[in-house]
Amino acid sequence: MEIKKIGVLGAGAMGTGIATVSAQAGFDVIISDVDLSIVQKSVGRMSSFFDKSVEKGKMTGEQKEAIMGRVEPQSGVDGFGDVDLVIEAIFEDLQVKKDNFTKLDQVCKPEALLTSNTSSFSITQLAATTKRPDRFAGMHFFNPPPIMKLVEVIRGYGTSDETVKVVSEVAVKMGKKPIEIKKDSPGFVVNRILLAQFIEAIKLYEEGVASLEDIDVAVKLGLNYPMGPFELQDFAGVDIGFHVTNYFCDEFKDIRWNPPLALKQLIRAGRLGRKTGAGWFNY
Ligand code: NAI
């Protein structure tokens, strides 16, 4: 099956980035959210991203206009009838995602593929809300999608080989490196490793072993990571990591995934990272 048109649902940080790489790769793109004003801001961010590429001489103004001409802002999912592939990137709430996939299944043409950019939820469970579990997969990008090369392509219980193949090919066309997640396991590969590291970093801080700043420095210089665990949580959104640890607790029934108190306190204080002006650090 050839993918020509992609529908991105959710015009936040990830949806905007995914729509950006999709349009740049030559796909026609619908970008949608609950409200058109959110989508217009997202389209503005995409346009500024490409303006920088023009300024740096990486593309011409005409090329930028051609890319932006492929982007269609919408609200809701009613206009998704002609897309070949949906990439869902709405916030990490299981019920909201399920409700949207039930709607998408009704609106999208039967051969269209549905994918979710969820950081943690079961692809099998999301697919079960539709009548097309064979044409359903996880398509997990990393933040920010225009820069991060990896895409985890996740097999749900019923995902067909053809779906894995087509979704992986789309990722390659976007300039990404897809890896196949053969089992629909919580957090897939990257977040399972990442969350264990976040929890250990927070415990080190709580135990007074080192300061937030020094733990970040240690991880950057000692492990050669581009960002420390606290800087990275603030960048990605502290609430996302919090939701994922809670989900791992439920799924694995293992207390080592319990969100540490310092993390709970940040959430209760509304310090969700850079997007709220404060998280582990003040901005
Ligand atoms: P975000 O909070 O920046 O954006 C979420 C967007 O979803 C918002 O614009 C919101 O208005 C929209 N939305 C909520 N309900 C909706 C609905 N019913 N219909 C349409 N739009 C709706 O969140 P972000 O960071 O972009 O995350 C989105 C998804 O991507 C989540 O599932 C998250 O777990 C996943 N993800 C996030 C990463 C990150 O580093 N931020 C990395 C990889 C995946």
Side-chain angles (χ1 to χ4, degrees), residues 41-92:
K41 281 188 199 135
S42 160
V43 171
R45 292 204 296 278
M46 291 171 68
S47 182
S48 315
F49 172 84
F50 290 123
D51 281 340
K52 285 191 197 110
S53 301
V54 174
E55 278 164 31
K56 287 180 194 158
K58 288 183 184 167
M59 67 172 63
T60 63
E62 289 75 32
Q63 283 169 324
K64 179 214 153 176
E65 291 311 318
I67 293 170
M68 290 306 295
R70 290 197 281 274
V71 179
E72 195 185 326
Q74 286 192 10
S75 62
V77 298
D78 292 344
F80 276 47
D82 65 345
V83 303
D84 305 305
L85 169 70
V86 172
I87 306 175
E88 170 276 313
I90 65 182
F91 56 50
E92 195 75 346

Side-chain angles (χ1 to χ4, degrees), residues 116-119 137-142 149-155 167 171 177-181 187-192:
S116 175
N117 182 51
T118 177
S119 301
M139 191 172 188
H140 187 218
F141 291 79
F142 292 81
K149 278 273 182 197
L150 184 68
V151 174
E152 290 178 326
V153 179
I154 303 122
R155 237 178 223 284
V167 171
K177 169 69 188 157
I179 65 153
E180 184 185 337
I181 305 294
F188 320 125
V189 167
V190 173
N191 281 340
R192 178 101 165 255

